[in-house]
Amino acid sequence: GGKGGGSGSGNGGSKRGKSRKFDILGNLLSIYGSKEIFIDEYRDMLCHRLLKNYSYDTSRDVATLELLKLRFGETIMYQCEIMIRDIDESKRLNSGIHGKGKTNQTPRSIEPSSSVNATVVSE
């Protein structure tokens, strides 16, 4: 037959993938019982994940957050956005601490190779 078969390339495959992701989210919401409980759990998980993220790479978390903001709205996801911004700010601070981008003389007590790291955490 000429219908179906194939590798799933083209727009049909991507639409099916998006629908499936939303179905998974719907299933998670039904497991948690409410969107508020789900978001609280997501926020807690994100917090732990970001604090253990020593590479300060937030690209995956930003992408996930953008999808969740589309589903739930920006207001309810605002605290998660702040957490990600804090990690991005931490990355900038640590670049300054470790001399990436600045060539000023550093005090003897803090050497560029030291293990000093800063993490910004908002309340």
Side-chain angles (χ1 to χ4, degrees):
K3 249 184 170 178
S7 64
S9 62
N11 289 339
S14 100
K15 283 183 183 176
R16 184 177 28 225
K18 286 182 183 177
S19 296
R20 190 166 165 201
K21 285 181 184 176
F22 286 116
D23 290 341
I24 291 171
L25 188 53
N27 288 337
L28 284 172
L29 289 173
S30 68
I31 290 170
Y32 281 98
S34 75
K35 74 176 183 180
E36 290 78 13
I37 294 172
F38 171 78
I39 291 169
D40 285 345
E41 289 296 323
Y42 173 76
R43 190 180 305 122
D44 188 52
M45 182 272 318
L46 179 64
C47 175
H48 291 291
R49 179 178 161 78
L50 291 173
L51 289 174
K52 291 179 182 180
N53 181 358
Y54 300 111
S55 70
Y56 302 105
D57 180 13
T58 59
S59 57
R60 178 178 163 204
D61 300 304
V62 168
T64 302
L65 179 61
E66 289 304 315
L67 291 172
L68 291 173
K69 283 168 40 176
L70 287 173
R71 176 77 181 239
F72 301 118
E74 293 198 20
T75 304
I76 199 164
M77 301 307 297
Y78 185 70
Q79 288 177 327
C80 295
E81 188 171 352
I82 294 298
M83 288 191 282
I84 291 172
R85 285 184 192 169
D86 286 349
I87 295 302
D88 290 340
E89 182 65 21
S90 299
K91 182 178 183 177
R92 283 188 289 279
L93 283 171
N94 281 311
S95 291
I97 289 171
H98 296 287
K100 297 174 188 167
K102 268 194 170 180
T103 57
N104 293 346
Q105 185 178 359
T106 58
R108 279 194 176 273
S109 60
I110 301 177
E111 304 208 2
S113 63
S114 70
S115 61
V116 174
N117 287 302
T119 301
V120 176
V121 179
S122 297
E123 282 190 58

